Amino acid sequence: MTGPRIIDGKAVAAEVRAEMAKKVAAIKSKHGQVPGLAVVLVGEDPASKVYVRNKGAQTVEVGMNSIEHKLSAETSQDELLALVDTLNKDPQVNGILVQLPLPKHIDAELVLNTIDPIKDVDGFHPVNVGRLWIGERALVPCTPTGSVILAKSVAPNLSGMDAVVVGRSNIVGKPMAALLLRENCTVTIAHSRTRDIENVVKKADLVVAAVGIPEFVRGDWIKPGAIVIDVGINRIEGPDGKGRLVGDVNFAEASKVAGAITPVPGGVGPMTIACLLKNTVEAFEMQTGLSADA
Ligand SMILES: NC(=O)C1=CN([C@@H]2O[C@H](COP(=O)(O)OP(=O)(O)OC[C@H]3O[C@@H](n4cnc5c(N)ncnc54)[C@H](OP(=O)(O)O)[C@@H]3O)[C@@H](O)[C@H]2O)C=CC1
Ligand SMILES: Nc1nc(=O)c2c([nH]1)NC[C@@H]1CN(c3ccc(C(=O)N[C@@H](CCC(=O)O)C(=O)O)cc3)C=[N+]21
Ligand SMILES: [Mg+2]
């Protein structure tokens, strides 16, 4: 018997970035402009700092402008809203990402709703959420977009599959369900109130885990041969006392049963950043009417 296919998110993400680098170069030579991405970080969350650093480095690597705003944890809501407003008006800024979570004294929903939808490269603004669900051109959340690309890298046609998304957050679970519906899957969304969740998951040809609990999905919940996309990023302490990253799926167990599975790290995470760059190029094209081809 052959083992499961380990889906290499790092490699697929590198392909997406290479494609973006080509597009950005073409835009630059044709139009003399490059897309710009602004990332706003409030506070000192160490994990957020790592992501923001990675985003900035990869933005520059594909030839785009990276604008980083690092604000103290004491920044007021009004100051943050004023910054978003400035970025909304800045023609050099095509994409705006405000890193979550925000400090408790700031109303995250209000901040996200203040980002101009055409610059909302996270796809979190209600206008983009609505457009996604009704099938209009939208900026679509990066993690679900990356997850679909990874699933299609092993099964190009997802049509008719039973898909189960575990988790119903606005940033992962719900947009994931919308994208899988668009791929013609039969979609079930499971969450903390779902009864008999293991048997719900067991029916799935495609499982997406976005729960936030380390190794929550067990091997015996997986239908043999299923595709498993693990969105979870959990830092836990290993037996050696060192920090280690695990997903929301028990990889050791599930990889014995699945047909294909994403690892953590090296699965969905790198795709999230690659899709952010893709959205920034798309936002630039929508805002300027310019493109790589014309
Ligand atoms: N790879 C990447 O790029 C990204 C990774 N992540 C990771 O993905 C994971 C999910 O993130 P996010 O969506 O923001 O998390 P949230 O905490 O916002 O949502 C978690 C969801 O899981 C559900 N849930 C919690 N406990 C259970 C349970 N016991 N049984 C079934 N469902 C449960 C919750 O249900 P209910 O609604 O009922 O409370 C909720 O819908 C995290 O590990 C996060 O770090 C997130 C973003 C990007
Ligand atoms: N407005 C906003 N948009 C986001 O998209 C957003 C956010 N806020 N807040 C936090 C989450 C989390 N997130 C990740 C991005 C990259 C990796 C990533 O690159 N992971 C690598 C390595 C991670 C590591 O080594 O620490 C991997 O899984 O291989 C992970 C997680 C984006 N998020
Ligand atoms: Mg959350």
Side-chain angles (χ1 to χ4, degrees):
M1 239 191 74
T2 58
R5 171 140 182 220
I6 310 298
I7 302 172
D8 188 345
K10 263 174 112 166
V12 179
E15 281 171 28
V16 173
R17 288 200 306 274
E19 205 183 302
M20 289 310 115
K22 262 198 203 161
K23 271 200 163 194
V24 171
I27 289 170
K28 190 174 182 177
S29 74
K30 286 199 174 92
H31 309 293
Q33 295 184 46
V34 295
L37 171 65
V39 175
V40 181
L41 175 64
V42 184
E44 293 286 314
D45 182 49
S48 289
K49 273 175 141 173
V50 175
Y51 304 143
V52 169
R53 197 182 321 125
N54 291 347
K55 282 168 189 165
Q58 294 181 23
T59 303
V60 171
E61 195 188 293
V62 303
M64 299 197 287
N65 289 329
S66 168
I67 304 111
E68 284 183 32
H69 288 270
K70 290 184 182 148
L71 311 179
S72 88
E74 287 75 45
T75 303
S76 74
Q77 179 171 295
D78 284 348
E79 285 172 278
L80 180 57
L81 291 173
L83 172 60
V84 169
D85 190 49
T86 304
L87 296 172
N88 279 342
K89 289 176 178 142
D90 185 344
Q92 302 281 85
V93 172
N94 304 107
I96 303 171
L97 180 146
V98 178
Q99 185 74 16
L100 300 174
L102 286 167
K104 286 185 187 59
H105 66 276
I106 295 176
D107 179 351
E109 194 177 300
L110 176 60
V111 173
L112 296 182
N113 291 3
T114 303
I115 297 172
D116 187 338
I118 208 168
K119 296 191 175 184
D120 168 36
V121 283
D122 263 327
F124 295 164
H125 191 287
V127 164
N128 283 315
V129 176
R131 284 183 183 151
L132 168 62
W133 281 97
I134 65 181
E136 280 181 15
R137 186 176 184 190
L139 288 165
V140 177
C142 304
T143 299
T145 301
S147 299
V148 169
I149 293 173
L150 291 183
K152 290 176 90 167
S153 76
V154 292
N157 183 6
L158 304 179
S159 180
M161 283 191 183
D162 283 322
V164 173
V165 179
V166 189
R168 57 171 162 181
S169 72
N170 291 330
I171 73 169
V172 187
K174 281 180 200 163
M176 188 74 231
L179 287 185
L180 292 174
L181 189 59
R182 202 164 79 177
E183 295 294 331
N184 297 312
C185 291
T186 302
V187 183
T188 301
I189 308 178
H191 47 78
S192 69
R193 314 296 170 87
T194 297
R195 271 188 247 144
D196 196 17
I197 193 162
E198 42 271 66
N199 283 307
V200 172
V201 171
K202 196 138 197 169
K203 291 198 171 64
D205 307 304
L206 171 59
V207 180
V208 179
V211 194
I213 301 175
E215 302 179 323
F216 178 73
V217 174
R218 307 299 302 259
D220 60 1
W221 301 17
I222 304 296
K223 175 155 105 179
I227 299 169
V228 178
I229 306 293
D230 188 352
V231 176
I233 302 272
N234 307 288
R235 205 165 289 277
I236 64 164
E237 195 166 299
D240 53 1
K242 280 192 200 147
R244 142 179 113 87
L245 221 52
V246 298
D248 290 345
V249 176
N250 186 313
F251 184 87
E253 293 174 1
S255 62
K256 294 200 176 95
V257 192
I261 184 167
T262 62
V264 178
V268 173
M271 289 302 291
T272 296
I273 301 183
C275 291
L276 175 65
L277 305 179
K278 204 174 153 82
N279 274 355
T280 304
V281 173
E282 168 127 8
F284 172 91
E285 293 179 340
M286 290 192 294
Q287 285 155 45
T288 60
L290 304 173
S291 84
D293 329 295

